[in-house]
């Protein structure tokens, strides 16, 4: 196993540079240690970032990798004087695209985040809706939902719902399938009424057993046998209702969200 230090530097939140860091996942034989430096937007912070990179390079004996989204040209150039391998969003992507479009790109902090498809107000509204409709807290207002995630408890519904709301302004509710649903063989009326909005999540029993054991160790709820039975019944319900579902065991929230967005757009 190789080891490498990584810096994610941005003059804003670092969301865009952080997304670029997903490139590192293509190199599983290297263990990366990541340092994030958001809001590096003045001379003092840039100098501190430069010194931090230099110090780590000296300590490691090998240059770190710097993934950078900094709009100010002077700040970028100062950082690049450090002994590191740079992946510069502006140099590699933004400016070449500007040349192709014959257009001067915007370089202000957090441009990518502020120009997402939904306004700040829409995202906040979606987040409030999602939090109020988390884990079957209420079935009132489900007609407003753009997607309703279902699945057994602890299969990843809540983090996926919140990600959809925060990143895409999607009003996402989620409903946990419980023993009463399995005995009844149907969803509550308010959920069933919105059957076309439902997207299912499932999970491998062994993984569910591990996750539940962290919350309630040695309980019937967390037992492997109960996990297997719940998942089997949940998947059977989804088949009977012809609901599209995805396995969350080895998929990231981003991957699950991409599948759900595709379903929403198809609808």
């Amino acid at each position: 196993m190789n080891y490498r230090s990584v810096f994610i530097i941005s003059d804003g939140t670092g969301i865009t540079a952080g997304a670029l860091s997903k490139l590192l996942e293509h190199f599983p034989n290297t263990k990366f240690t990541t340092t994030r430096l958001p809001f590096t937007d003045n001379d003092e912070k840039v100098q501190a970032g430069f010194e931090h990179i230099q110090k780590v390079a000296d300590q490691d004996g090998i240059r770190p990798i710097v993934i950078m989204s900094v709009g100010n040209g002077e700040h970028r150039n100062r950082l690049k004087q450090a002994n590191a391998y740079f992946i510069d969003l502006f140099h590699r992507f933004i400016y070449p695209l500007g040349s192709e479009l014959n257009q001067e790109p915007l370089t202000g902090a957090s441009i990518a985040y502020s120009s997402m498809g939904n306004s700040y107000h829409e995202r906040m509204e979606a987040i409030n809706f999602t939090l109020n409709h988390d884990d079957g807290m209420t079935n009132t207002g489900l007609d407003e939902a753009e997607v309703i995630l279902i699945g057994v408890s602890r299969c990843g519904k809540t983090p996926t719902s919140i990600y959809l709301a925060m990143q895409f302004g999607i009003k996402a509710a989620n409903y946990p399938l419980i023993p009463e649903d399995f005995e009844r063989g149907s969803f509550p009326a308010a959920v069933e009424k919105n059957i076309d909005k439902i997207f299912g999540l499932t999970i491998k029993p062994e993984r569910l057993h591990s996750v539940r054991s962290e919350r309630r160790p040695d309980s019937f709820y967390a037992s492997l046998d109960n996990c297997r039975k719940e998942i089997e019944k949940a998947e059977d319900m989804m088949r009977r209702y012809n609901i599209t579902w995805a396995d969350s065991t080895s998929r990231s929230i981003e991957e699950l969200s991409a599948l759900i967005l595709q379903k929403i757009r198809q609808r």
Side-chain angles (χ1 to χ4, degrees):
M1 179 69 72
N2 300 314
Y3 295 87
R4 203 71 173 265
S5 294
V6 176
F7 285 84
I8 298 175
I9 304 180
S10 173
D11 52 11
T13 60
I15 290 175
T16 304
L20 268 179
S21 71
K22 291 291 183 181
L23 294 169
L24 302 176
E25 295 177 3
H26 292 274
F27 304 95
N29 294 328
T30 299
K31 181 176 176 59
F32 298 102
T33 301
T34 303
T35 300
R36 295 177 181 269
L37 301 177
F39 305 109
T40 304
D41 54 3
N42 60 41
D43 293 344
E44 291 76 16
K45 292 178 181 179
V46 168
Q47 181 62 25
F50 164 79
E51 293 174 1
H52 196 168
I53 296 168
Q54 284 289 94
K55 182 179 179 180
V56 169
D58 293 340
Q59 289 175 343
D60 292 353
I62 186 170
R63 60 181 184 171
I65 295 166
V66 178
I67 301 173
M68 184 167 64
S69 173
V70 176
N72 185 296
E74 292 182 5
H75 291 168
R76 285 202 310 275
N77 291 335
R78 177 56 179 151
L79 289 166
K80 286 183 177 180
Q81 292 175 24
N83 179 25
Y85 175 78
F86 287 88
I87 300 175
D88 181 349
L89 175 75
F90 281 85
H91 178 74
R92 297 201 179 195
F93 303 105
I94 302 298
Y95 288 133
L97 180 59
S99 296
E100 176 64 25
L101 297 173
N102 193 28
Q103 192 174 139
E104 188 70 23
L106 297 174
T107 58
S110 301
I111 289 295
Y113 190 67
S114 64
S115 61
M116 292 171 69
N118 300 90
S119 69
Y120 173 83
H121 173 75
E122 288 172 326
R123 290 199 302 275
M124 291 304 101
E125 189 177 316
I127 291 169
N128 287 331
F129 178 89
T130 295
L131 292 176
N132 289 331
H133 291 80
D134 178 44
D135 209 27
M137 193 178 300
T138 178
N139 291 334
T140 303
L142 285 181
D143 291 346
E144 293 181 44
E146 293 171 78
V147 65
I148 302 170
L149 300 185
I150 65 163
V152 298
S153 171
R154 310 298 289 179
C155 72
K157 299 183 300 300
T158 293
T160 304
S161 298
I162 293 173
Y163 183 84
L164 285 166
M166 290 183 65
Q167 295 297 319
F168 304 104
I170 297 292
K171 291 183 177 180
N174 74 77
Y175 177 81
L177 294 174
I178 56 178
E180 287 81 356
D181 297 315
F182 301 140
E183 292 171 9
R184 189 175 58 245
S186 62
F187 303 115
V191 176
E192 191 158 331
K193 178 184 174 184
N194 291 278
I195 197 74
D196 60 314
K197 298 178 182 178
I198 293 178
F199 190 98
L201 293 182
T202 190
I203 189 172
K204 294 289 188 292
E206 294 76 14
R207 175 59 181 159
L208 183 62
H209 166 64
S210 175
V211 172
R212 287 184 173 184
S213 293
E214 292 178 5
R215 188 179 187 184
R216 298 184 194 170
D218 303 319
S219 64
F220 173 76
Y221 165 79
S223 69
L224 183 57
D225 183 59
N226 181 57
C227 290
R228 285 197 179 106
K229 289 179 179 176
E230 283 193 25
I231 291 168
E232 182 180 343
K233 291 175 181 177
E235 291 182 355
D236 180 61
M237 279 187 72
M238 287 187 270
R239 286 190 191 94
R240 286 191 285 107
Y241 279 93
N242 197 28
I243 290 169
T244 302
W245 83 72
D247 190 331
S248 67
T249 307
S250 57
R251 284 191 171 99
S252 67
I253 292 173
E254 293 87 350
E255 290 174 306
L256 292 171
S257 297
L259 293 171
I260 293 165
L261 286 171
Q262 185 179 39
K263 173 73 183 299
I264 292 172
R265 287 164 183 156
Q266 287 173 347
R267 187 178 71 235

